[in-house]
Amino acid sequence: MKYLTLTTAALALMASGAMAQDLRIALQSDADILDPDQSRTFVGRIIYTALCDKLVDITPDLEIIPQLATEWTVAEDGMSIAMTVRDDVVFHDGTAFNAQAVADNITRSQTLEGSMRKSELASIASVDVTGDYTLTLNLTGPDATVIAQLADRAGMMVSPTAAAEMGADFGLAPVCSGPFAFQERVAQDKIVLKKFADYWNADQINFDTVTYLPIPDTTVRLANLQSGDIHILERLAPTDLAQVNADDSINVQSAVSMGYQGITFNVGNGDRADNPFGTDPRLRQAFSYAIDREAINQVVFEGAFAAGNQPFPPTSPWYDADYPVEARDVDKAKALLAEAGYPDGIDLVVQVPNTTIPLQLMQVIQSMTAEAGINIEIVSKEFATMLSDQTAGDYQASQIGWSGRVDPDGNIHQFVTTDGGINDAGYSNAAVDDALNTARTQADVVSRKAQYDAARDVLINDAPLVYLYHESWITALDANIEGYTAYPDGMIRLEGVTLSE
């Protein structure tokens, strides 16, 4: 049974016939800075889904559809994209959204110090504002990835007025044009958004506020859902599925992720890259051979996920079948260690988020690699802190994943190309750069895949990232939630969602 504590304000609202409704969502971790240009956490993207509209969005079937942009046309030579945007949108501070605002946002993404979006929008040479609500993106060359990039943070529109005033501190009080506006944030406790009355699609928004609560422990998150303290739980642990399916007060929806989980090695990001695993790919290969990916899926994830060894799952058309998921081979791992000069074993420090499943995962991996002579020290960190350290190169190896993107470029380019926006490994190889940059220019699927395969020929040996598995986004919801749809990107979209008490 759920009990409601009524404040004086709530009683007043009831008397007026308008009971305020707060939707409470439990997140696996806290978000980093709430600035689409500077941020990189998965949970931050969940919050942006309510806070910051994008130029385009996706359907559950991964079709790209209009959001703030109503239409776009790619020139025959692939060198420009003409775009029309909505004429009925304002930012939360009252600033008008128009074509100039789009141009200002792209400039900010490309030039703001610390922007993570620079490589995503690198092919946009300039923006011509051709009318109040029309513009043209001029490209440095044909780029098949641009529209897909605009379906994520690179396409999120922030108020140019607020961005100019706040600069790098914009994330402290973000101003966008989504269905909800920023209200308050208490670090490691909550982020509260309030309904934006002037939202262009306000009729589809049914909550007065949305409160996001970072709760790292999966058991605690589930207990909060069962008690009615939260309404939506993102990333239910697979081990809790049986319990939840037996509870009539909870519904479950899931969607296969477009992303991956893996281990990123520091091979060239600052002084800490100067370590055996950072300088010798044979050690990274040994690490990969010491792992039983299928066993991890069964032991940690109840068989609910898929083993993986590439940025694309084996079911993806972009997967390179020449390199199937390798079986565990402890003898080969030991041989590689000996060849590299470590016949008696070697130590490795891996940082990991301080949440339940990543810790369980690394403990299983720790046990597996120990049999081959790789002795892992696990360092647990709050996720945003871990990301900051990873960006700065203050790590040896890091257990981290990626939620995935509609276009394959979004799963690989910025992670392994020289100076890529999220190349925390500090990896650089001219052959990989050439293949992945060329892939961006190919509209033909076969030609593009050939370039990704060429990159894989190199990366399989260099192994700056060792991929582990591909997860499913499992969302648990209060049974009174209606209208919710799970998406492959794991985002929690609130249009049309209702909660009956």
Side-chain angles (χ1 to χ4, degrees):
M1 181 177 293
K2 300 175 184 177
Y3 298 92
L4 296 177
T5 301
L6 299 180
T7 63
T8 302
L11 289 168
L13 283 167
M14 288 182 68
S16 67
M19 182 63 185
Q21 194 171 46
D22 177 46
L23 182 72
R24 297 183 298 279
I25 301 174
L27 305 175
Q28 184 169 287
S29 58
D30 199 12
D32 56 350
I33 186 170
L34 292 178
D35 181 340
D37 283 330
Q38 299 185 71
S39 65
R40 54 179 296 180
T41 57
F42 174 74
V43 293
R45 290 177 62 219
I46 292 176
I47 295 163
Y48 290 140
T49 305
L51 180 66
C52 302
D53 274 0
K54 302 164 293 188
L55 289 173
V56 297
D57 200 5
I58 63 169
T59 69
D61 297 323
L62 302 182
E63 176 189 0
I64 296 178
I65 58 173
Q67 191 168 63
L68 292 178
T70 58
E71 59 182 327
W72 53 91
T73 303
V74 180
E76 288 188 11
D77 62 2
M79 293 295 292
S80 65
I81 302 173
M83 181 176 291
T84 302
V85 300
R86 300 189 66 93
D87 61 3
D88 56 353
V89 176
V90 294
F91 292 100
H92 300 148
D93 61 358
T95 299
F97 169 76
N98 50 31
Q100 185 60 53
V102 176
D104 292 342
N105 269 265
I106 291 174
T107 297
R108 183 179 193 267
S109 297
Q110 293 178 324
T111 61
L112 179 71
E113 184 176 359
S115 172
M116 298 290 182
R117 313 282 80 85
K118 292 179 181 178
S119 64
E120 297 170 13
L121 300 176
S123 65
I124 300 179
S126 63
V127 181
D128 291 335
V129 176
T130 56
D132 288 346
Y133 303 101
T134 58
L135 63 143
T136 300
L137 307 178
N138 300 306
L139 308 182
T140 58
D143 186 350
T145 75
V146 173
I147 295 300
Q149 300 286 15
L150 299 178
D152 193 57
R153 281 172 290 210
M156 292 177 186
M157 297 290 103
V158 306
S159 165
T161 303
E165 291 175 353
M166 297 289 288
D169 293 329
F170 175 85
L172 300 177
V175 181
C176 294
S177 66
F180 294 88
F182 179 78
Q183 179 167 306
E184 67 168 320
R185 178 176 191 174
V186 180
Q188 305 301 322
D189 181 41
K190 65 181 178 180
I191 294 173
V192 183
L193 309 182
K194 58 185 177 182
K195 184 176 180 178
F196 180 47
D198 293 327
Y199 183 57
W200 63 271
N201 198 23
D203 291 346
Q204 291 297 308
I205 305 302
N206 301 301
F207 303 102
D208 296 280
T209 56
V210 181
T211 301
Y212 297 91
L213 305 163
I215 305 176
D217 190 287
T218 56
T219 302
V220 176
R221 281 210 306 282
L222 180 54
N224 274 264
L225 180 62
Q226 292 172 319
S227 68
D229 289 332
I230 65 169
H231 304 112
I232 299 178
L233 182 160
E234 67 99 5
R235 278 180 288 180
L236 179 76
T239 50
D240 291 330
L241 266 174
Q243 177 185 353
V244 167
N245 286 333
D247 189 336
D248 291 339
S249 70
I250 299 174
N251 290 329
V252 173
Q253 287 201 30
S254 64
V256 177
S257 165
M258 302 178 292
Y260 60 81
Q261 288 287 329
I263 306 289
T264 296
F265 287 89
N266 187 349
V267 301
N269 186 357
D271 294 341
R272 290 201 63 185
D274 187 15
N275 69 83
F277 278 90
T279 58
D280 195 331
R282 291 172 296 185
L283 297 180
R284 302 192 292 272
Q285 293 169 22
F287 177 93
S288 184
Y289 278 113
I291 296 169
D292 189 331
R293 290 166 171 80
E294 293 292 350
I296 287 173
N297 184 35
Q298 296 301 322
V299 172
V300 182
F301 305 116
E302 302 288 323
F305 296 166
N309 68 334
Q310 299 179 31
F312 320 117
T315 54
S316 169
W318 304 103
Y319 187 81
D320 189 344
D322 289 342
Y323 303 103
V325 176
E326 60 265 29
R328 188 187 191 207
D329 192 334
V330 175
D331 289 339
K332 188 164 186 176
K334 289 180 176 179
L336 284 165
L337 289 181
E339 183 182 324
Y342 299 92
D344 298 324
I346 187 171
D347 296 336
L348 173 66
V349 179
V350 181
Q351 63 175 11
V352 60
N354 65 338
T355 52
T356 310
I357 292 178
L359 286 168
Q360 291 174 348
L361 168 69
M362 279 311 306
Q363 287 163 359
V364 171
I365 291 175
Q366 182 184 50
S367 177
M368 289 177 173
T369 61
E371 295 179 26
I374 299 173
N375 306 306
I376 293 177
E377 176 188 348
I378 299 173
V379 177
S380 174
K381 297 181 180 180
E382 187 275 324
F383 189 63
T385 299
M386 192 186 89
L387 275 184
S388 178
D389 290 347
Q390 188 172 302
T391 301
D394 188 13
Y395 77 104
Q396 185 177 10
S398 188
Q399 194 286 297
I400 195 166
W402 182 244
S403 54
R405 297 296 182 267
V406 176
D407 190 275
D409 178 89
N411 273 22
I412 185 170
H413 188 281
Q414 57 194 331
F415 298 97
V416 294
T417 53
T418 303
D419 298 325
I422 315 181
N423 185 356
D424 293 337
Y427 176 74
S428 179
N429 185 294
V432 171
D433 290 351
D434 182 66
L436 296 182
N437 288 332
T438 300
R440 284 184 158 185
T441 70
Q442 304 295 312
D444 176 69
V445 171
V446 174
S447 299
R448 284 191 82 189
K449 187 177 186 306
Q451 297 300 324
Y452 291 120
D453 289 351
R456 178 54 35 195
D457 290 339
V458 179
L459 291 167
I460 198 72
N461 293 312
D462 286 358
L465 281 76
V466 172
Y467 303 95
L468 300 173
Y469 65 90
H470 305 275
E471 61 189 310
S472 293
W473 305 125
I474 306 173
T475 306
L477 308 105
D478 184 306
N480 292 319
I481 291 281
E482 296 180 356
Y484 179 81
T485 300
Y487 279 68
D489 62 0
M491 298 299 100
I492 297 174
R493 291 168 171 80
L494 298 178
E495 286 84 358
V497 177
T498 60
L499 170 66
S500 58
E501 295 286 359

